[in-house]
Amino acid sequence: VKVKIPFGNKYLDAIFSVPEKKPTYGVILTHGAGGDMNFPHLVSLAAYLASHGVLCLRFTCKGLNVAYRTKAFKAVVEYLKLCDYYKLSGVFLAGRSMGSRAAASVICQLSQGDDDDDGFIQGLVCLSYPLHRPKLQSKLRDEDLLLITCPVLFVSGSADEMCEKQLLEGVVSKMKAPKKIHWIDKANHGMAVKGRTADDVMEEVNAQVFSWLRENVQLQHK
């Protein structure tokens, strides 16, 4: 279902992937610095989640500035929260690369304000989190991660040139939030692995994301 989400004096293009049964939980998903919501990994994940009963709303925001992308993500969260058609108990924020930085930033801002004391946001999924620029390991983009308290899942390639394995493990060990890392063996920042098809890699990613979502929903509703 295609929708236009109001954002300032503009609109963001977005698509709902809707499960057959009425969903209780949703995932908001966005792309990295390049591409848009039709990036193959996002389309694949959205379809997988919807087929497993999770509503997925993916959107496009072309800005290359993280603060701008964060504002856009916030507008989408507000939209879904007030959406009468899908009454959700909670939502997980997810993004690929720069999109996951924006998602982390939204969660930080909402948890510091008084906007999210109703626990609408249940967790964060970071696909290929860009912890540092290529070859610039000294400058880590970890401020938001260290402040987050809701559950976080990282899915990263062990050969990601923007997220060195030891550095992410170091940051994660300092995080206050319940967290998990799933390493895709030998994958680069684009999740490409020599000798494996893109579909094969995405099956692994999708299954990991879904099983983590399921665990975290159950934890909160026991």
Side-chain angles (χ1 to χ4, degrees):
V1 182
K2 287 187 176 176
V3 286
K4 296 264 184 199
I5 296 178
F7 175 46
N9 53 4
K10 289 191 287 221
Y11 285 90
L12 298 168
D13 287 317
I15 293 180
F16 276 108
S17 301
V18 186
E20 282 174 19
K21 285 202 206 120
K22 205 167 163 46
T24 329
Y25 287 91
V27 170
I28 301 176
L29 182 59
T30 194
H31 54 89
D36 57 21
M37 65 183 173
N38 295 317
F39 188 73
H41 293 184
L42 303 194
V43 176
S44 167
L45 179 57
Y48 186 93
L49 292 175
S51 71
H52 288 75
V54 179
L55 179 79
C56 189
L57 173 58
R58 60 184 206 275
F59 71 95
T60 294
C61 175
K62 289 291 201 179
L64 287 182
N65 167 320
V66 171
Y68 179 77
R69 292 282 300 264
T70 302
K71 271 189 190 140
F73 210 130
K74 233 174 176 170
V76 178
V77 173
E78 284 308 305
Y79 170 84
L80 189 55
K81 202 171 184 176
L82 302 171
C83 180
D84 286 334
Y85 196 67
Y86 306 109
K87 282 275 178 236
L88 297 175
S89 307
V91 69
F92 291 84
L93 304 193
R96 200 196 106 66
S97 191
M98 186 184 192
S100 64
R101 277 184 76 196
S105 188
V106 170
I107 290 178
C108 270
Q109 288 179 19
L110 291 180
S111 61
Q112 283 165 358
D114 304 317
D115 304 346
D116 196 53
D117 34 19
D118 56 0
F120 185 61
I121 294 177
Q122 305 268 315
L124 169 67
V125 178
C126 296
L127 307 172
S128 297
Y129 186 85
L131 187 60
H132 52 80
R133 290 191 172 149
K135 302 194 169 61
L136 253 184
Q137 286 89 334
S138 56
K139 288 191 175 162
L140 295 185
R141 298 158 169 162
D142 59 357
E143 324 62 46
D144 288 339
L145 298 178
L146 298 175
L147 295 171
I148 288 173
T149 53
C150 67
V152 184
L153 170 68
F154 294 93
V155 180
S156 279
S158 65
D160 186 337
E161 60 284 9
M162 294 179 74
C163 187
E164 202 173 282
K165 195 165 185 270
Q166 281 171 311
L167 291 177
L168 182 61
E169 284 172 345
V171 168
V172 164
S173 69
K174 289 186 281 201
M175 283 170 65
K176 299 189 280 260
K179 63 271 177 179
K180 180 181 178 186
I181 311 178
H182 179 75
W183 292 107
I184 304 285
D185 193 38
K186 301 189 178 69
N188 65 9
H189 190 64
M191 290 284 180
V193 182
K194 272 189 187 138
R196 286 181 72 181
T197 63
D199 285 350
D200 181 43
V201 174
M202 278 319 295
E203 271 173 34
E204 180 180 342
V205 172
N206 296 348
Q208 282 295 326
V209 171
F210 176 67
S211 70
W212 179 85
L213 292 178
R214 205 174 45 191
E215 277 165 31
N216 281 285
V217 164
Q218 283 168 350
L219 284 177
Q220 304 215 342
H221 296 275
K222 276 190 173 155

